[in-house]
Amino acid sequence: MTKIMLVTGASRGIGAATARLAGAAGYKVCVNYANSGAAAEVVVADIVAAGGEAFACQADVGDEAAVVALFAAVDAHYGPLTALVNNAGTIGHGGRLETFDAERINRILAVNVTGSLICAREAILRMSTIHGGQGGGIVNVSSVAAVRGAPGAGIDYAASKGAIDSFNKGLSEEVAGEGIRVNAVRPGVIDTDIHAAGGSPDRAIEMASSIPMKRAGTAAEVGEVILWLLSDAASYVTGAIVGVTGGR
Ligand code: NAP
């Protein structure tokens, strides 16, 4: 079976690292992005230079019509996907709940929760044996914030990742008999641009001493776990949430 992977939010950070690893592992890769088209094209060029196949596709995963068009683009390029990485995620500026308004909260939920659910829906329509598919795998990117709660930093973001954990479990059971495995990774502090978006560009350095392994993780260290969860080596793993936290 041709291996075809869509990685949402693959222009930077964990998604970009996952896309590069997927290309090297023989997947045909769709590199989704929201705004960073040039960065996405660099990821595509790197995959192609390493002998793989990839294309970039713009879509805001918080926009249902855009997600439907994104999956149609994957169909047109490569055929029905066999792997989805629900990685695209957003965070608000760090702070306490009293400083948040509904617009901010709704945007985080629209991208992180609704976007992941709608992407999973489109994947299942293509992968499930009850829809004529040949099975596949989904990995949802949660966060250690789901269990720590991120007090003072972004409890709305933490709540969005708690929702990921819940639907990861429910969806895994819903489609377990249809050839689809659904798992999640739970990254801790990973050295990417997301911390700057939250107003703490040096968070990966500042947090290092509080992490048992005394350092932040790399995007590739998360990507390796995602690739393993999607591989045949994890053939009896579904509904799992794998921590990638350096022990935190
Ligand atoms: P990042 O470096 O900020 O990259 C975020 C990626 O998501 C970018 O490619 C961005 O695309 C894309 N994106 C954002 N909003 C999008 C949207 N509405 N539609 C499509 N793509 C969108 O972040 P990261 O650290 O790699 O985070 C990736 C995932 O890991 C997120 O779900 C995040 O919550 C999770 N996570 C990260 C950490 C950490 O410490 N870094 C820890 C736990 C969990 P553009 O470049 O086009 O904007």
Side-chain angles (χ1 to χ4, degrees):
M1 185 163 70
T2 307
K3 299 195 297 181
I4 299 164
M5 183 185 296
L6 166 61
V7 185
T8 65
S11 50
R12 298 181 284 117
I14 293 167
T18 302
R20 288 187 173 97
L21 289 167
Y27 286 92
K28 297 181 179 188
V29 187
C30 175
V31 175
N32 161 250
Y33 66 97
N35 304 296
S36 306
E41 291 299 348
V42 170
V43 175
V44 168
D46 288 349
I47 292 170
V48 172
E53 277 189 65
F55 77 102
C57 189
Q58 195 281 336
D60 175 350
V61 300
D63 175 341
E64 183 174 12
V67 170
V68 170
L70 170 64
F71 277 78
V74 177
D75 292 340
H77 271 80
Y78 299 138
L81 80 174
T82 61
L84 166 67
V85 182
N86 260 330
N87 167 77
T90 192
I91 195 168
H93 198 274
R96 287 170 53 104
L97 178 60
E98 300 95 297
T99 65
F100 304 167
D101 59 16
E103 184 180 354
R104 166 205 161 106
I105 296 167
N106 287 338
R107 177 64 184 159
I108 290 171
L109 296 177
V111 173
N112 297 5
V113 183
T114 310
S116 295
L117 283 162
I118 296 297
C119 285
R121 181 193 73 192
E122 292 302 308
I124 288 160
L125 285 169
R126 289 159 174 82
M127 294 175 182
S128 171
T129 52
I130 67 168
H131 297 299
Q134 298 193 319
I138 297 173
V139 171
N140 297 306
V141 180
S142 179
S143 170
V144 76
V147 287
R148 297 183 69 94
I155 64 169
D156 47 1
Y157 170 81
S160 77
K161 295 300 185 176
I164 296 275
D165 289 5
S166 297
F167 96 70
N168 186 72
K169 175 64 177 162
L171 185 63
S172 71
E173 294 192 22
E174 222 167 83
V175 298
E178 300 164 24
I180 305 173
R181 294 185 300 103
V182 181
N183 292 290
V185 289
R186 180 179 282 159
V189 179
I190 309 300
D191 190 6
T192 71
D193 297 345
I194 203 168
H195 308 297
S200 308
D202 297 327
R203 183 172 158 80
I205 297 166
E206 291 164 2
M207 292 293 291
S209 64
S210 68
I211 298 167
M213 285 180 68
K214 302 299 177 199
R215 65 171 179 85
T218 66
E221 286 175 311
V222 182
E224 292 281 7
V225 178
I226 293 171
L227 264 288
W228 176 76
L229 284 168
L230 291 167
S231 75
D232 290 343
S235 56
Y236 200 54
V237 181
T238 198
I241 304 175
V242 181
V244 192
T245 63
R248 184 162 174 263

